[in-house]
PDB file of all heavy atoms in Angstrom:
ATOM      1  N   GLY A 452     100.954 104.380 103.761  1.00 95.00           N
ATOM      2  CA  GLY A 452     101.134 103.976 105.153  1.00 95.00           C
ATOM      3  C   GLY A 452     101.196 102.472 105.278  1.00 95.00           C
ATOM      4  O   GLY A 452     101.044 101.733 104.306  1.00 95.00           O
ATOM      5  N   SER A 453     101.386 102.030 106.514  1.00 93.00           N
ATOM      6  CA  SER A 453     101.390 100.590 106.775  1.00 93.00           C
ATOM      7  C   SER A 453      99.985 100.111 107.123  1.00 93.00           C
ATOM      8  O   SER A 453      99.627  98.980 106.829  1.00 93.00           O
ATOM      9  CB  SER A 453     102.375 100.240 107.891  1.00 93.00           C
ATOM     10  OG  SER A 453     102.053 100.960 109.069  1.00 93.00           O
ATOM     11  N   PHE A 454      99.177 100.944 107.768  1.00 95.00           N
ATOM     12  CA  PHE A 454      97.773 100.646 108.063  1.00 95.00           C
ATOM     13  C   PHE A 454      97.597  99.284 108.735  1.00 95.00           C
ATOM     14  O   PHE A 454      96.797  98.466 108.309  1.00 95.00           O
ATOM     15  CB  PHE A 454      96.920 100.743 106.797  1.00 95.00           C
ATOM     16  CG  PHE A 454      97.074 102.041 106.061  1.00 95.00           C
ATOM     17  CD1 PHE A 454      97.707 102.088 104.831  1.00 95.00           C
ATOM     18  CD2 PHE A 454      96.610 103.225 106.610  1.00 95.00           C
ATOM     19  CE1 PHE A 454      97.851 103.287 104.139  1.00 95.00           C
ATOM     20  CE2 PHE A 454      96.752 104.433 105.924  1.00 95.00           C
ATOM     21  CZ  PHE A 454      97.375 104.459 104.696  1.00 95.00           C
ATOM     22  N   ASP A 455      98.318  99.079 109.832  1.00 94.00           N
ATOM     23  CA  ASP A 455      98.308  97.780 110.523  1.00 94.00           C
ATOM     24  C   ASP A 455      97.872  97.932 111.975  1.00 94.00           C
ATOM     25  O   ASP A 455      98.714  97.998 112.857  1.00 94.00           O
ATOM     26  CB  ASP A 455      99.693  97.140 110.448  1.00 94.00           C
ATOM     27  CG  ASP A 455      99.716  95.738 111.025  1.00 94.00           C
ATOM     28  OD1 ASP A 455      98.847  94.929 110.642  1.00 94.00           O
ATOM     29  OD2 ASP A 455     100.594  95.454 111.863  1.00 94.00           O
ATOM     30  N   PRO A 456      96.555  97.972 112.209  1.00 95.00           N
ATOM     31  CA  PRO A 456      95.457  97.877 111.264  1.00 95.00           C
ATOM     32  C   PRO A 456      94.911  99.240 110.876  1.00 95.00           C
ATOM     33  O   PRO A 456      95.286 100.264 111.437  1.00 95.00           O
ATOM     34  CB  PRO A 456      94.396  97.097 112.057  1.00 95.00           C
ATOM     35  CG  PRO A 456      94.575  97.588 113.459  1.00 95.00           C
ATOM     36  CD  PRO A 456      96.075  97.806 113.595  1.00 95.00           C
ATOM     37  N   PHE A 457      93.990  99.224 109.917  1.00 96.00           N
ATOM     38  CA  PHE A 457      93.305 100.403 109.397  1.00 96.00           C
ATOM     39  C   PHE A 457      92.277 100.857 110.434  1.00 96.00           C
ATOM     40  O   PHE A 457      91.419 100.080 110.836  1.00 96.00           O
ATOM     41  CB  PHE A 457      92.617 100.027 108.079  1.00 96.00           C
ATOM     42  CG  PHE A 457      92.113 101.176 107.270  1.00 96.00           C
ATOM     43  CD1 PHE A 457      92.994 102.047 106.641  1.00 96.00           C
ATOM     44  CD2 PHE A 457      90.754 101.370 107.093  1.00 96.00           C
ATOM     45  CE1 PHE A 457      92.530 103.096 105.855  1.00 96.00           C
ATOM     46  CE2 PHE A 457      90.274 102.409 106.310  1.00 96.00           C
ATOM     47  CZ  PHE A 457      91.163 103.270 105.696  1.00 96.00           C
ATOM     48  N   THR A 458      92.378 102.114 110.875  1.00 95.00           N
ATOM     49  CA  THR A 458      91.512 102.645 111.930  1.00 95.00           C
ATOM     50  C   THR A 458      90.480 103.628 111.374  1.00 95.00           C
ATOM     51  O   THR A 458      90.556 104.021 110.207  1.00 95.00           O
ATOM     52  CB  THR A 458      92.348 103.374 112.999  1.00 95.00           C
ATOM     53  OG1 THR A 458      92.879 104.571 112.408  1.00 95.00           O
ATOM     54  CG2 THR A 458      93.475 102.501 113.552  1.00 95.00           C
ATOM     55  N   ASN A 459      89.574 104.051 112.242  1.00 96.00           N
ATOM     56  CA  ASN A 459      88.621 105.092 111.836  1.00 96.00           C
ATOM     57  C   ASN A 459      89.333 106.411 111.550  1.00 96.00           C
ATOM     58  O   ASN A 459      88.860 107.210 110.752  1.00 96.00           O
ATOM     59  CB  ASN A 459      87.557 105.302 112.909  1.00 96.00           C
ATOM     60  CG  ASN A 459      86.512 104.218 112.884  1.00 96.00           C
ATOM     61  OD1 ASN A 459      86.337 103.509 111.893  1.00 96.00           O
ATOM     62  ND2 ASN A 459      85.795 104.051 113.988  1.00 96.00           N
ATOM     63  N   GLY A 460      90.462 106.653 112.194  1.00 95.00           N
ATOM     64  CA  GLY A 460      91.262 107.839 111.883  1.00 95.00           C
ATOM     65  C   GLY A 460      91.781 107.783 110.458  1.00 95.00           C
ATOM     66  O   GLY A 460      91.727 108.783 109.721  1.00 95.00           O
ATOM     67  N   HIS A 461      92.278 106.624 110.040  1.00 96.00           N
ATOM     68  CA  HIS A 461      92.722 106.452 108.652  1.00 96.00           C
ATOM     69  C   HIS A 461      91.553 106.654 107.697  1.00 96.00           C
ATOM     70  O   HIS A 461      91.673 107.351 106.677  1.00 96.00           O
ATOM     71  CB  HIS A 461      93.296 105.044 108.427  1.00 96.00           C
ATOM     72  CG  HIS A 461      94.539 104.753 109.185  1.00 96.00           C
ATOM     73  ND1 HIS A 461      94.721 103.600 109.915  1.00 96.00           N
ATOM     74  CD2 HIS A 461      95.687 105.465 109.331  1.00 96.00           C
ATOM     75  CE1 HIS A 461      95.916 103.608 110.472  1.00 96.00           C
ATOM     76  NE2 HIS A 461      96.528 104.731 110.127  1.00 96.00           N
ATOM     77  N   LEU A 462      90.420 106.033 108.017  1.00 97.00           N
ATOM     78  CA  LEU A 462      89.240 106.160 107.159  1.00 97.00           C
ATOM     79  C   LEU A 462      88.799 107.612 107.041  1.00 97.00           C
ATOM     80  O   LEU A 462      88.450 108.074 105.945  1.00 97.00           O
ATOM     81  CB  LEU A 462      88.102 105.286 107.691  1.00 97.00           C
ATOM     82  CG  LEU A 462      86.808 105.308 106.878  1.00 97.00           C
ATOM     83  CD1 LEU A 462      87.052 104.878 105.434  1.00 97.00           C
ATOM     84  CD2 LEU A 462      85.762 104.420 107.545  1.00 97.00           C
ATOM     85  N   ASP A 463      88.847 108.345 108.133  1.00 96.00           N
ATOM     86  CA  ASP A 463      88.478 109.760 108.114  1.00 96.00           C
ATOM     87  C   ASP A 463      89.376 110.544 107.146  1.00 96.00           C
ATOM     88  O   ASP A 463      88.886 111.357 106.360  1.00 96.00           O
ATOM     89  CB  ASP A 463      88.580 110.338 109.526  1.00 96.00           C
ATOM     90  CG  ASP A 463      88.238 111.816 109.575  1.00 96.00           C
ATOM     91  OD1 ASP A 463      87.097 112.175 109.223  1.00 96.00           O
ATOM     92  OD2 ASP A 463      89.124 112.609 109.968  1.00 96.00           O
ATOM     93  N   VAL A 464      90.662 110.280 107.180  1.00 96.00           N
ATOM     94  CA  VAL A 464      91.592 110.977 106.277  1.00 96.00           C
ATOM     95  C   VAL A 464      91.286 110.608 104.825  1.00 96.00           C
ATOM     96  O   VAL A 464      91.266 111.478 103.948  1.00 96.00           O
ATOM     97  CB  VAL A 464      93.061 110.668 106.645  1.00 96.00           C
ATOM     98  CG1 VAL A 464      94.025 111.195 105.581  1.00 96.00           C
ATOM     99  CG2 VAL A 464      93.406 111.254 108.007  1.00 96.00           C
ATOM    100  N   VAL A 465      91.022 109.341 104.549  1.00 97.00           N
ATOM    101  CA  VAL A 465      90.698 108.918 103.186  1.00 97.00           C
ATOM    102  C   VAL A 465      89.427 109.602 102.707  1.00 97.00           C
ATOM    103  O   VAL A 465      89.374 110.114 101.577  1.00 97.00           O
ATOM    104  CB  VAL A 465      90.532 107.377 103.093  1.00 97.00           C
ATOM    105  CG1 VAL A 465      90.027 106.966 101.719  1.00 97.00           C
ATOM    106  CG2 VAL A 465      91.825 106.669 103.402  1.00 97.00           C
ATOM    107  N   GLN A 466      88.412 109.622 103.541  1.00 97.00           N
ATOM    108  CA  GLN A 466      87.144 110.246 103.152  1.00 97.00           C
ATOM    109  C   GLN A 466      87.329 111.733 102.863  1.00 97.00           C
ATOM    110  O   GLN A 466      86.793 112.246 101.870  1.00 97.00           O
ATOM    111  CB  GLN A 466      86.092 110.045 104.238  1.00 97.00           C
ATOM    112  CG  GLN A 466      85.618 108.619 104.337  1.00 97.00           C
ATOM    113  CD  GLN A 466      84.732 108.361 105.538  1.00 97.00           C
ATOM    114  OE1 GLN A 466      84.896 108.948 106.607  1.00 97.00           O
ATOM    115  NE2 GLN A 466      83.790 107.451 105.381  1.00 97.00           N
TER     116      GLN A 466
END
Side-chain angles (χ1 to χ4, degrees):
S453 57
F454 307 110
D455 186 50
F457 192 70
T458 69
N459 283 340
H461 295 132
L462 181 58
D463 179 61
V464 171
V465 173
Q466 289 171 326

